Each structure stands twice: as C-alpha cells, then as structure tokens.
Amino acid sequence: MIKVYLAAFPMLYEGEDIEVRYSLFQDDIPIKKESIYLEYMKPAIVGLHSILTMLLKLEEYQEEEITIIINDASLYEIIKGCSTTQNGDVLKMASKMKKQLVKFKDLSFINVTKDKASLAKWKEILED
C-alpha cells in the first residue's frame, strides 16, 4: 500500500513560485520526501495542479492501492465531484485531473481538515 501526504502552498503575489510538498510511504516505510517548485498559477487551481503533479510521480505505482492525504476541504469537494464552483479555470483543471485519476486501479483521498490527530500527523510528516 502506498500512502502519500500532500500539501501545496500558493503564493499570493504574481510571479512567485508555488511549492508542492509530499512524503511517500510504502507499507509505512518512508520512500521519498520532496518539495517541488512550480511557476506561479492562480491560487484557485494550485491544489488541483498539485494532485496532477503527484499523479505523475505515482505512475509507477498505478496497480497498487494508493491513498493521498490532503488538508484542503475545497479540493476534496472537487475530487469527490460535489463542488458547486463555476470558476472556469477550476473546472478545466478538474477535468484534466479526472482523466488522470482513471489510470489508477485503487486510488483514494483522505481529507484531514476536521480530524485533529490526523491533521497533526499530516503536518508533522510534511514539515522540513
């Protein structure tokens, strides 16, 4: 089983880099921890772009059970398909993401926003 703790940090000023930080575990053994810096993009699509970036990193694990752990309620709504956003950029990026999601055999997402213990663990794992 693959478990990924994922965070994306949008910058508020145009021209500043976006940071995507993740920690990858296989059967509870740490495999990789990395920060990726991307060019500026609108804050509304940073979370979706981080998922797309992560899916590219996970291509070699497509046949395995994968859980991606995030701390973003609005992103979780978009992933689950229950978001009511009318933002064109978000809808376009969500469509790209969903096309990538079907490539994975057993992929699930967990949002730790409301679970204090899980949120603390997520934060601890992703800190430098």
Side-chain angles (χ1 to χ4, degrees):
M1 175 178 181
I2 304 295
K3 196 178 276 189
V4 180
Y5 293 82
L6 177 66
F9 304 101
M11 301 302 163
L12 300 177
Y13 301 104
E14 194 164 338
E16 290 188 16
D17 290 341
I18 307 301
E19 181 183 5
V20 175
R21 192 180 301 170
Y22 72 93
S23 290
L24 178 77
F25 292 81
Q26 186 167 20
D27 299 322
D28 293 325
I29 299 169
I31 301 294
K32 189 170 189 178
K33 186 173 188 172
E34 184 178 19
S35 287
I36 303 166
Y37 292 91
L38 306 170
E39 290 184 16
Y40 175 83
M41 64 193 72
K42 294 179 181 179
I45 62 169
V46 168
L48 289 164
H49 197 76
S50 71
I51 297 289
L52 281 171
T53 302
M54 195 70 252
L55 294 177
L56 291 174
K57 299 278 184 182
L58 292 171
E59 282 184 340
E60 65 186 272
Y61 304 105
Q62 285 180 354
E63 298 300 315
E64 295 189 46
E65 181 182 345
I66 301 171
T67 302
I68 299 177
I69 301 163
I70 59 173
N71 176 23
D72 188 332
S74 62
L75 176 59
Y76 190 67
E77 282 184 359
I78 293 166
I79 292 166
K80 291 296 181 186
C82 58
S83 174
T84 58
T85 186
Q86 297 298 314
N87 184 317
D89 292 331
V90 171
L91 295 173
K92 195 180 302 181
M93 188 65 82
S95 175
K96 286 181 185 179
M97 181 195 63
K98 289 183 191 242
K99 287 177 185 172
Q100 293 299 315
L101 290 175
V102 298
K103 294 180 180 180
F104 291 83
K105 183 178 177 185
D106 188 6
L107 179 66
S108 62
F109 291 86
I110 296 174
N111 181 28
V112 296
T113 303
K114 294 183 180 180
D115 182 353
K116 287 185 181 183
S118 295
L119 180 59
K121 182 177 180 181
W122 174 88
K123 186 176 179 181
E124 178 185 330
I125 288 173
L126 288 172
E127 286 180 345
D128 282 335

